[in-house]
Amino acid sequence: MKNIQKGPLIISGNAHHTLAEDIASYIGQDLTKAEVFKFNNDNTFVKILENVRERDVFIIQPTAFPVNDNIMELLIMIDAAKRASAGRITAVIPYFSYARTDKKDQPRVPITGRLIADLITTAGSDRVMMMDLHAGQVQGFFSATVDELTALPILASYFVEKKLDDWVVVSPDIGGTKRARDFANKLGAPLAIIEKRRIGNKDTVETLNIIGEVKDRSAILFDDEINTGGTMIAGSKILKDNGVKDVYVAATHGVFPNSSLSKIIRTDDIKEIVVTDSLPIENENSKLKILPISELLGEAIKRTNRGDSVGALFL
């Protein structure tokens, strides 16, 4: 008989230790002690320092920078828990970076999202918990059970509290229309779409036009993630050119590679950038608002451990 009824055990990798600590604090316990580090030869070492035999283990590890190192660390942690006879292993991956590579859109390219899913399952993960995937079909890449959570209620509550009655939610491209529509419904706001064309495989965007009414409104450019910010910078400019009063940029995941966050912050057309702490973000700025997701993940972990509905969190 598996002892998962004893309560969850939370183990953290090095990708986002602060988030793991916040999740454990919400659940009302300490992190399960573990050593996770690299030897001088660049090999990753993992040792779980507490008994996890037949227990319900949750490993917190978003695929933050350095992405491939953190994926490898996650795989080794899963393997360590499996070989320590954990009763059930759940990989909690708030941000799954390879979700963009979900199909063959060019000749002779891989479907890396499927490859990473296979690796996680093969390593021994029984369940996977993620948040706001770039492509929802990535759930089907896993043979393990997948729970996809969403930060939409957290983000929507933040903007509702601003008590503005002139919101318009703007999708930065046609592909994100459903996501933006769901967010607009939570705010009771209309939807607009920026039609754009991306040039080749580079982060260069050619913006075309706006579908919908945005003039004299406060716009929220909404997406699942902000990477280099090129899309948001170009989108904010065309919105301002079309008479928008203020432009807010919102997304679940703030990736911000290299100095891209500083570039977005310096953009005069953007009033505020709102993301969650699904990834660690070190730059603090009055223009940047980071919303916590530890309570959402912690509650999902508690419900999973008890066998209660996770979907009921979003009803």
Side-chain angles (χ1 to χ4, degrees):
M1 177 67 68
K2 294 182 179 180
N3 294 324
I4 60 174
Q5 72 274 11
K6 284 188 175 181
L9 297 179
I10 312 299
I11 302 176
S12 176
N14 291 315
H16 202 345
H17 199 74
T18 300
L19 176 60
E21 287 181 330
D22 291 343
I23 292 170
S25 177
Y26 173 80
I27 294 174
Q29 62 189 53
D30 295 327
L31 289 175
T32 299
K33 294 182 176 61
E35 292 180 349
V36 185
F37 64 88
K38 277 190 174 186
F39 289 116
N40 291 333
N41 64 358
D42 206 41
N43 288 2
T44 298
F45 175 80
V46 172
K47 182 177 181 180
I48 301 171
L49 302 176
E50 299 181 34
N51 182 16
V52 299
R53 183 176 294 272
E54 298 299 338
R55 297 294 300 274
D56 201 5
V57 173
F58 293 80
I59 299 173
I60 315 297
Q61 183 83 334
T63 52
F65 289 95
V67 173
N68 294 333
D69 282 354
N70 284 321
I71 289 173
M72 194 65 194
E73 194 175 277
L74 171 62
L75 297 175
I76 296 172
M77 286 191 293
I78 293 170
D79 187 70
K82 179 182 178 181
R83 295 178 189 280
S85 301
R88 181 171 64 182
I89 302 168
T90 301
V92 181
I93 313 170
Y95 175 67
F96 185 66
S97 61
Y98 280 104
R100 285 182 176 273
T101 50
D102 62 307
K103 58 186 176 296
K104 284 193 67 172
D105 54 358
Q106 302 173 48
R108 298 175 298 280
V109 297
I111 304 178
T112 316
R114 173 59 190 267
L115 171 63
I116 302 302
D118 286 344
L119 290 172
I120 290 170
T121 305
T122 301
S125 184
D126 302 294
R127 302 182 66 94
V128 180
M129 189 177 292
M130 295 182 284
M131 179 171 286
D132 287 326
L133 288 165
H134 180 73
Q137 62 265 29
V138 168
Q139 296 179 55
F141 290 173
F142 292 85
S143 56
T145 303
V146 175
D147 289 311
E148 184 188 1
L149 311 180
T150 179
L152 259 65
I154 296 172
L155 292 161
S157 295
Y158 176 76
F159 285 102
V160 167
E161 289 174 1
K162 289 185 178 291
K163 300 187 184 301
L164 297 181
D165 57 4
D166 62 347
W167 291 121
V168 58
V169 175
V170 183
S171 174
D173 54 37
I174 293 175
T177 301
K178 182 183 184 303
R179 185 183 303 112
R181 184 191 298 119
D182 292 343
F183 188 64
N185 288 340
K186 289 186 177 297
L187 291 178
L191 175 69
I193 303 166
I194 297 177
E195 185 184 8
K196 73 175 185 180
R197 181 181 297 126
R198 187 173 295 278
I199 302 172
N201 291 321
K202 299 180 180 179
D203 289 319
T204 305
V205 175
E206 178 187 351
T207 302
L208 300 177
N209 55 39
I210 296 176
I211 304 169
E213 297 294 327
V214 298
K215 187 176 181 180
D216 297 326
R217 287 184 171 272
S218 299
I220 305 171
L221 257 176
F222 185 78
D223 210 348
D224 62 306
E225 68 178 65
I226 305 172
N227 191 24
T228 62
T231 295
M232 295 305 191
I233 292 171
S236 63
K237 184 179 187 305
I238 192 174
L239 287 172
K240 294 295 281 189
D241 289 345
N242 280 265
V244 165
K245 293 193 299 184
D246 293 309
V247 179
Y248 296 80
V249 169
T252 298
H253 311 294
V255 183
F256 305 131
N258 303 319
S259 59
S260 58
L261 178 55
S262 298
K263 184 179 179 181
I264 302 169
I265 288 172
R266 290 195 303 267
T267 303
D268 293 335
D269 293 330
I270 296 175
K271 183 171 183 177
E272 189 175 35
I273 306 153
V274 184
V275 294
T276 76
D277 62 349
S278 64
L279 288 164
I281 302 172
E282 296 180 358
N283 299 49
E284 292 187 10
N285 188 281
S286 58
K287 208 171 181 177
L288 175 66
K289 179 66 177 180
I290 303 173
L291 305 178
I293 57 170
S294 55
E295 290 190 9
L296 173 60
L297 289 172
E299 186 60 32
I301 287 171
K302 288 169 65 176
R303 286 170 178 253
T304 299
N305 174 252
R306 295 194 305 258
D308 294 341
S309 170
V310 173
L313 281 170
F314 307 105
L315 297 179

